[in-house]
Amino acid sequence: MTDLPFPLSGSTLIVGPSQTGKTRLTAQALDAWIEQKGTEGVVVIEFAPEVERDGWVLGGRLDRFTTIPDRVWYGVLDAHAPRSEGKTEEEMVALAGDNAERAERILDEAPQPRAVFINDSTIPLQHAKSDLQKFTTYCTDAECVVMNAFESNELGTDDPVSRCEREAVKILREWADRTISLE
């Protein structure tokens, strides 16, 4: 097992641009938790869309890097990639809103976690109506929270989706016990 650059306690936010290893590191943390503490109370929430752009897959899912055990609660959002799929700002905002609504239902269905691992945590937070407080409140009582988030200007900066996402990352940085920045 690879040594992690953070403890498996409290809350850890992993940030960086595309293709820097955020999902892989989150998967390694999940594997380390299960190896050390088992699957009881483990919740995995998958918000990542899989989009090919210029020959690269953006937003890969955790199951590309690990096997999610059957005994783990696994909530998967079939997410849109608003900035890649939307042709106009209005379409981008509508896709982000759809992600936010459907992600909220996943959080409503998820059991209270002992440990929670969230891939691409800002996908449901790219819309002004996103409920970031509900998101962080869900995670508050967990012994361990590991989530990752896209943080870069590579997909845009001045559109409504990018502005909401930047604000969400800022708030998650303040909320998390620690932030790991990958370049």
Side-chain angles (χ1 to χ4, degrees):
M1 175 60 54
T2 304
D3 288 329
L4 296 171
F6 54 87
L8 289 173
S9 62
S11 54
T12 302
L13 173 65
I14 303 165
V15 297
S18 297
Q19 303 299 314
T20 55
K22 299 179 302 293
T23 300
R24 183 181 308 272
L25 186 55
T26 304
Q28 289 171 343
L30 171 63
D31 289 343
W33 176 275
I34 290 171
E35 182 178 293
Q36 294 172 20
K37 302 196 179 201
T39 58
E40 183 180 339
V42 174
V43 171
V44 173
I45 300 177
E46 180 63 72
F47 290 143
E50 290 197 335
V51 176
E52 188 173 321
R53 186 180 215 179
D54 300 327
W56 292 92
V57 174
L58 304 178
R61 293 195 169 173
L62 283 168
D63 62 10
R64 288 177 49 213
F65 301 105
T66 190
T67 301
I68 310 296
D70 290 337
R71 296 172 308 281
V72 167
W73 192 90
Y74 190 30
V76 178
L77 175 66
D78 185 16
H80 303 289
R83 289 173 292 219
S84 295
E85 295 174 32
K87 305 283 187 262
T88 65
E89 281 192 0
E90 291 77 21
E91 287 179 8
M92 291 168 44
V93 169
L95 292 169
D98 184 58
N99 283 342
E101 288 174 15
R102 292 182 300 116
E104 198 165 308
R105 288 195 292 268
I106 289 172
L107 283 176
D108 288 341
E109 295 170 5
Q112 187 59 41
R114 178 174 176 211
V116 61
F117 300 84
I118 304 171
N119 192 34
D120 218 342
S121 62
T122 56
I123 284 290
L125 305 174
Q126 295 175 332
H127 193 277
K129 70 178 176 185
S130 302
D131 191 349
L132 183 55
Q133 184 172 353
K134 179 177 184 171
F135 187 80
T136 55
T137 298
Y138 173 76
C139 297
T140 296
D141 293 330
E143 290 176 38
C144 174
V145 177
V146 178
M147 65 175 73
N148 65 60
F150 173 78
E151 185 177 56
S152 172
N153 293 335
E154 69 188 276
L155 297 178
T157 58
D158 198 34
D159 60 88
V161 170
S162 295
R163 286 192 301 270
C164 285
E165 185 169 54
R166 272 196 318 277
E167 182 63 20
V169 170
K170 178 183 168 196
I171 292 167
L172 288 173
R173 278 178 166 275
E174 293 168 1
W175 175 82
D177 295 329
R178 69 197 67 81
T179 300
I180 306 298
S181 294
L182 303 178
E183 298 298 325

